[in-house]
Amino acid sequence: HHLEEAAIGGHTFARHNLGIMEGKNGRPDRAVKHLIIAAKLGQDQSLSSLRRLYTEGIVSKEDLAGALRAHQDAIEETKSQQREAAEAARTDRVK
């Protein structure tokens, strides 16, 4: 119940976990839908899961391609000069 609420609220890892749970419960269609949503929001593990399901014939080429494009767009949207500068500063401190 809480996982579903988190997924509805936009928590991508919760959405990913719902996809995994649906797959384990024998509902591959629902699993794929959750994983596609999470991948489109930038969730890397969901994209990896979709790639694996594609090789197993569960995900169509079109669905995988659409999820990949949307995933890349989501990642691009999170990039900014300010974030990159903060990451560079954090990395410099770790060295």
Side-chain angles (χ1 to χ4, degrees):
H1 173 72
H2 295 291
L3 195 60
E4 291 172 355
E5 286 182 9
I8 290 168
H11 193 280
T12 61
F13 195 66
R15 180 69 70 173
H16 170 81
N17 284 340
L18 275 177
I20 298 302
M21 287 174 48
E22 291 289 6
K24 287 182 179 180
N25 289 332
R27 296 186 288 264
D29 291 344
R30 289 179 58 109
V32 168
K33 287 179 183 179
H34 285 297
L35 293 171
I36 287 174
I37 292 168
K40 286 181 174 183
L41 294 172
Q43 222 292 330
D44 295 332
Q45 290 173 308
S46 294
L47 189 59
S48 296
S49 295
L50 288 168
R51 284 183 172 137
R52 182 180 48 78
L53 293 172
Y54 171 73
T55 65
E56 295 173 10
I58 297 171
V59 174
S60 71
K61 186 176 185 177
E62 294 78 19
D63 284 343
L64 179 60
L68 179 58
R69 281 190 301 274
H71 178 270
Q72 290 169 337
D73 290 345
I75 297 301
E76 285 299 315
E77 287 178 14
T78 64
K79 290 184 180 179
S80 71
Q81 288 180 345
Q82 188 175 12
R83 285 184 186 205
E84 290 173 9
E87 178 63 21
R90 186 188 68 77
T91 303
D92 286 343
R93 278 187 266 136
V94 173
K95 291 181 183 177

